[in-house]
Amino acid sequence: MTSSRRVLSFLLPASLLAGLSASASLDAQQAARFDDVADARRALVEAQAQGAAARTRAERLEAEAARASAAAEKTAHEAAAIAARIQQTEAEIAGHQAQVALIGREREVLRARLAERQRPVVRLTASLQRLSRRPPALALLRPGSVRETMYMRALLATMLPEVQRRTAALRAEIERGKALQRRAALAAQNLRESQRRLTARRGVLAGLETRQRLESRQVTGAADREAERALALAEQARDLGTLTDDLRKAGALRDRLAQLPGPIMRPARPEAAQVTNVGDAPGPTTTGLPGYMLPVTGRLVSGFGDSQRGGGARVRGIALATRVGAQLVAPAAGRVAFAGPYRGYGNIVIVEHPGGWTSLVTGLARLDTSVGAQLLAGSPLGAAGDGQSLVTLELRRDGVPVDPLGAMRGQ
């Protein structure tokens, strides 16, 4: 054993021996990097799922627009299809950004692993260089027995395969680093292309909305009066719940009035006239909301029924963190009961759906709809704001809050 130590100290420095025996375990910082990688992968999967859903919806709306014969119906479907394509592109951008972040995290982990593996290899290389500069004759003249020479040969025979194994793994890690660099460049290129498509599609949507506004100028009189009544209700309402209930009651009254029979011409034979029972008129259906969807692509921040900060009341809807300027669409078909600013919430949109359902969407920086507009599922509502964009969605049935995610699942 003493002879082995003398041979080892002759061939390699003590620091190299310590490096060769060190374990490759990750420290707390590396474990945190792995958590970041998992988060980036989850974000990538969510973005891909949202993009696929938006693409499917866009293809369906484009097919419906192609089949539409009336100009107004065709334009409405085209606008909803373009809005879906915008959301698809936004999801693609989010996916590319998650991919860039994922590659960055993987490169950090790889760099840490390379540093861990390079350390003993660097020491080994320096020691081997020292050994190579030592003349063979000097090694033979060094005092010692033949037994020590045999120890030296055995040590070299044991060490060289280990050196080859570790350097092979190191070379593989270096090649993986180059592959990650190529993937990062491709992801950055795809991100730039998606951003260009997003700009182009927003321009197309703006043109369609301008055309819709020009076509609807002839009916602006009634729409303006209804918008004024909605604004008056908003000024009187104590909170959003009260505003939604007031608008629901006004909508129910409007539906009942619409069901009343119109004026009937006097019959040629008055004795043959019959009395119509107005109470037998069919009322509104109470069907569910098939195809209900989120108004924007983003990450769920708070769910239905979660406690508000500071231990306040339960949240009556859900909150979504979304990208700057994200496109918002109608979660289901319906009629716009309110569209405008409301104190403390910025611009909001309230959509009445058939069957006593009502959706409330807040967090809009720009409005692309107006009171009285008849919307398709996916029709553009507007865009989210700058900075930390937070969009909230509340769903009610006959004034009672309902979980929007449950409605999406058909519950």
Side-chain angles (χ1 to χ4, degrees):
M1 184 64 69
T2 305
S3 301
S4 299
R5 288 199 183 97
R6 283 204 299 269
V7 174
L8 289 173
S9 61
F10 170 68
L11 284 174
L12 304 172
S15 58
L16 175 59
L17 297 176
L20 287 173
S21 61
S23 64
S25 60
L26 295 173
D27 56 10
Q29 185 177 3
Q30 289 171 317
R33 291 195 188 99
F34 279 123
D35 290 340
D36 292 340
V37 170
D39 292 341
R41 282 178 179 158
R42 279 194 295 270
L44 178 59
V45 171
E46 290 175 2
Q48 290 173 340
Q50 291 172 348
R55 182 176 62 251
T56 302
R57 188 170 74 253
E59 292 171 352
R60 175 178 56 80
L61 289 167
E62 287 167 352
E64 292 175 356
R67 291 193 299 267
S69 56
E73 182 184 1
K74 187 178 185 67
T75 303
H77 281 89
E78 287 175 349
I82 290 296
R85 289 295 184 187
I86 288 175
Q87 288 192 330
Q88 176 191 347
T89 310
E90 290 172 345
E92 289 175 357
I93 291 174
H96 295 323
Q97 290 173 337
Q99 195 171 18
V100 170
L102 175 61
I103 294 171
R105 301 293 187 274
E106 289 179 348
R107 292 176 73 177
E108 289 178 5
V109 172
L110 181 61
R111 276 195 294 267
R113 200 157 53 224
L114 281 173
E116 190 75 22
R117 292 186 176 181
Q118 281 176 335
R119 211 171 291 126
V121 173
V122 169
R123 298 195 194 104
L124 175 61
T125 303
S127 299
L128 291 177
Q129 286 177 348
R130 278 183 56 192
L131 186 60
S132 66
R133 288 195 297 266
R134 189 185 302 274
L138 182 60
L140 293 175
L141 293 174
R142 187 178 185 277
S145 64
V146 176
R147 193 174 189 179
E148 290 181 349
T149 304
M150 296 301 294
Y151 275 127
M152 183 185 301
R153 290 188 60 185
L155 176 65
L156 289 173
T158 304
M159 184 179 64
L160 288 177
E162 178 66 15
V163 171
Q164 291 174 351
R165 185 184 68 82
R166 294 204 177 192
T167 53
L170 185 60
R171 285 194 299 270
E173 297 285 13
I174 292 173
E175 287 301 320
R176 185 165 178 268
K178 292 179 181 178
L180 285 175
Q181 187 173 1
R182 290 191 294 269
R183 282 176 53 198
L186 180 61
Q189 180 182 353
N190 292 336
L191 177 60
R192 290 191 295 269
E193 291 175 357
S194 295
Q195 288 171 337
R196 284 195 293 269
R197 282 198 300 272
L198 178 61
T199 302
R201 285 171 174 170
R202 282 176 173 170
V204 173
L205 181 60
L208 281 173
E209 289 170 347
T210 300
R211 193 170 77 192
Q212 283 180 317
R213 282 193 295 270
L214 292 174
E215 292 173 352
S216 63
R217 277 185 177 177
Q218 56 186 353
V219 293
T220 53
D224 288 344
R225 288 193 296 273
E226 189 171 355
E228 289 174 0
R229 286 195 295 271
L231 287 173
L233 287 175
E235 292 177 358
Q236 298 169 6
R238 298 187 307 274
D239 53 28
L240 277 178
T242 305
L243 174 60
T244 305
D245 288 341
D246 291 344
L247 290 171
R248 180 178 58 82
K249 293 174 183 176
L253 176 61
R254 185 180 60 251
D255 292 339
R256 287 197 298 271
L257 291 175
Q259 292 166 13
L260 293 176
I264 301 175
M265 298 295 294
R266 181 174 178 176
R269 297 176 56 198
E271 66 275 11
Q274 296 180 356
V275 178
T276 302
N277 188 355
V278 177
D280 294 338
T285 60
T286 57
T287 57
L289 283 173
Y292 196 78
M293 60 185 177
L294 296 178
V296 68
T297 58
R299 177 175 53 87
L300 185 67
V301 175
S302 62
F304 181 79
D306 290 351
S307 297
Q308 294 182 351
R309 292 181 180 178
R314 297 282 181 178
V315 177
R316 293 176 295 185
I318 61 174
L320 300 163
T322 186
R323 58 180 286 106
V324 173
Q327 178 69 49
L328 278 82
V329 299
R335 181 180 180 280
V336 178
F338 185 87
Y342 186 79
R343 52 184 179 274
Y345 290 89
N347 289 318
I348 68 170
V349 175
I350 299 176
V351 183
E352 297 173 341
H353 311 293
W357 295 87
T358 304
S359 291
L360 166 65
V361 182
T362 72
L364 293 93
R366 189 189 75 239
L367 286 173
D368 294 334
T369 190
S370 57
V371 174
Q374 293 290 341
L375 302 179
L376 303 170
S379 291
L381 295 180
D386 300 333
Q388 288 292 99
S389 300
L390 193 67
V391 173
T392 62
L393 170 65
E394 294 184 16
L395 177 64
R396 289 180 172 85
R397 185 174 190 182
D398 297 328
V400 179
V402 178
D403 184 6
L405 298 181
M408 290 175 60
R409 294 189 294 265
Q411 297 176 354

